[in-house]
Amino acid sequence: MNRIVFVEDDAEVGNLIAAYLGKHDIEVLVEPRGDTAQARIEKEKPDLILLDIMLPGKDGMTLCRDLRPIFPGPIVLLTSLDSDMNHILSLEMGASDYILKTTPPAVLLARLRLHLRQSPVHSAQSEQPVQTLKSGNALHFGQLCIDPVNREVTLVDETIVLSTSDFDLLWELATHAGRIMDREALLKNLRGVSYDGLDRSIDVAISRLRKKLYDNTLEPFRIKTVRNKGYLFAPNAWESLQE
């Protein structure tokens, strides 16, 4: 049975969703406050985190941002706020999905199951690990150093803090430097799942990497977008923090 921590201050909503998902083999633990949620999540070690946005103590957007570096699994915003800006901001904060509370329960269940299947937490628990980083020498590209043993990234002597999943994505791109990697290959290599044509988690993670690695978000030159093909890690674009 999968386990979800649902951060929701409305007890009726929390109980209704917990009851529905519970009938479909998903255990839901409801946490009513945003400022106590992180401690609960660290204790319960869920497979997925479900967040409302309007929460006492700490809002869901901020909570998502704070959790993303320490939680490799899916973080889904479930909210009544039907706003394109909030949707965009949530993805920028590291959310895996943004779902409205008016979404039919069966659709909510399907989307949560999709995220659970594709989760690196799920993959890590499988009998045959999808991917193991090869130990050995660090990769160097100009002033960028990627150390797979200590899982550390530095750029011009600045330590770049990455989540587990973002480090794995960077390593996958860097070990294929100069080659175009499409979403299908990235998802298959990292999570052992096929691209369904809708999953945007790779795009969101690429966006986070670009920001942290001082790439140009409008015209990326370090992790390039090759239209209709995928992403390309440029091996000769790492001589300074900014170019």
Side-chain angles (χ1 to χ4, degrees), residues 17-63:
I17 290 179
Y20 179 79
L21 296 180
K23 294 178 181 178
H24 297 85
D25 296 325
I26 297 177
E27 180 185 10
V28 178
L29 306 173
V30 181
E31 171 59 42
R33 294 189 60 87
D35 54 355
T36 58
Q38 183 168 334
R40 180 78 180 276
I41 288 163
E42 291 174 349
K43 176 185 176 182
E44 302 292 352
K45 297 179 173 55
D47 301 296
L48 182 147
I49 299 169
L50 196 59
L51 301 176
D52 188 14
I53 290 181
M54 305 300 292
L55 294 167
K58 181 186 288 189
D59 67 88
M61 293 282 197
T62 303
L63 184 56

Side-chain angles (χ1 to χ4, degrees), residues 187-212:
L187 283 169
K188 194 70 175 177
N189 293 349
L190 291 169
R191 303 180 187 173
V193 298
S194 299
Y195 178 57
D196 63 1
L198 298 174
D199 190 343
R200 301 262 77 88
S201 60
I202 292 294
D203 305 312
V204 173
I206 291 286
S207 178
R208 286 198 302 269
L209 281 177
R210 284 171 172 162
K211 287 185 177 181
K212 292 192 174 185

